[in-house]
C-alpha cells in the first residue's frame, strides 16, 4: 500500500508559468493577455521575495508582449511596452535571464504594427503606435547586440 503522506507536492516554477504564458499568447484575446501579464507579475513578485525558482526569463516577458500584441485591443501596444520596460528593469537589476534579444524588440514592434492596423484604433493611437515602433528601432540602433535587420524594418513598414 502506498503512503501518500510521504509524497511531496510538485510546486510550479518559472518554466511552468512561462509555458502557460506562451499558451495564452496564442489565444488572441484581451483576457488571455491580461491573465498572462498577471502570471508574469506573480513571477516577478515571488522572485523579488527571494524565490529563485520563479525567476522570470526573456521568454516569460516576450510571451506576454506577444499576448498583448495578439489581443486585438487598440491599446495593446501600450501594455506591451509596459511589459518590455519591466523586462529592461529586471535586466538592469541583474537578472541576466531576461536580457533582451532581437525577438523581444521585434515582439514590441509587432504589437505596434497590429495596433496601428486595428480598425478600432483611433488616429491618435495609430500615431502613438508608429512613434513607439520608431523609438524602439532608435533604441536598437544604440545597441551593440540587437541592431535592426531587414525583419525589423519590415515590421516597421507594417505600422
Amino acid at each position: 500500500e502506498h503512503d501518500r503522506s510521504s509524497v511531496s507536492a510538485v510546486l510550479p516554477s518559472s518554466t511552468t508559468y512561462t509555458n502557460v504564458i506562451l499558451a495564452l499568447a496564442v489565444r488572441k484575446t484581451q483576457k488571455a493577455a491580461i491573465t498572462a501579464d498577471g502570471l508574469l507579475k506573480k513571477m516577478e513578485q515571488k522572485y523579488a521575495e527571494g524565490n529563485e525558482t520563479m525567476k522570470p526569463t526573456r521568454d516569460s516577458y516576450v510571451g506576454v508582449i506577444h499576448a498583448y500584441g495578439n489581443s486585438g485591443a487598440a491599446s495593446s501596444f501600450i501594455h506591451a511596452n509596459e511589459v518590455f520596460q519591466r523586462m529592461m528593469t529586471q535586466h538592469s537589476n541583474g537578472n541576466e535571464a531576461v536580457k533582451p534579444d532581437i525577438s523581444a524588440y521585434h515582439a514590441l514592434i509587432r504589437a505596434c504594427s497590429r495596433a496601428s492596423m486595428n480598425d478600432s484604433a483611433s488616429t491618435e493611437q495609430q500615431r502613438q503606435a508608429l512613434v513607439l515602433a520608431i523609438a524602439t528601432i532608435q533604441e536598437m540602433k544604440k545597441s551593440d547586440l540587437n541592431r535592426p535587420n531587414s525583419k525589423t524594418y519590415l515590421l516597421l513598414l507594417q505600422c
Side-chain angles (χ1 to χ4, degrees), residues 79-149:
H79 300 295
N81 186 47
E82 289 168 356
V83 173
F84 186 83
Q85 295 308 317
R86 288 184 1 232
M87 178 174 145
M88 298 297 276
T89 300
Q90 276 276 329
H91 182 251
S92 66
N93 289 341
N95 182 353
E96 283 297 314
V98 299
K99 185 175 183 177
D101 64 358
I102 199 160
S103 70
Y105 287 94
H106 284 174
L108 180 56
I109 297 167
R110 187 176 296 109
C112 292
S113 71
R114 289 191 174 144
S116 67
M117 292 186 295
N118 189 324
D119 293 336
S120 67
S122 69
T123 304
E124 179 59 19
Q125 285 173 317
Q126 291 174 340
R127 186 191 69 74
Q128 288 175 348
L130 178 59
V131 167
L132 177 58
I134 292 169
T136 302
I137 291 173
Q138 295 300 336
E139 189 65 32
M140 290 175 75
K141 286 181 178 181
K142 296 177 191 173
S143 169
D144 293 331
L145 300 173
N146 298 309
R147 308 279 301 170
N149 60 23

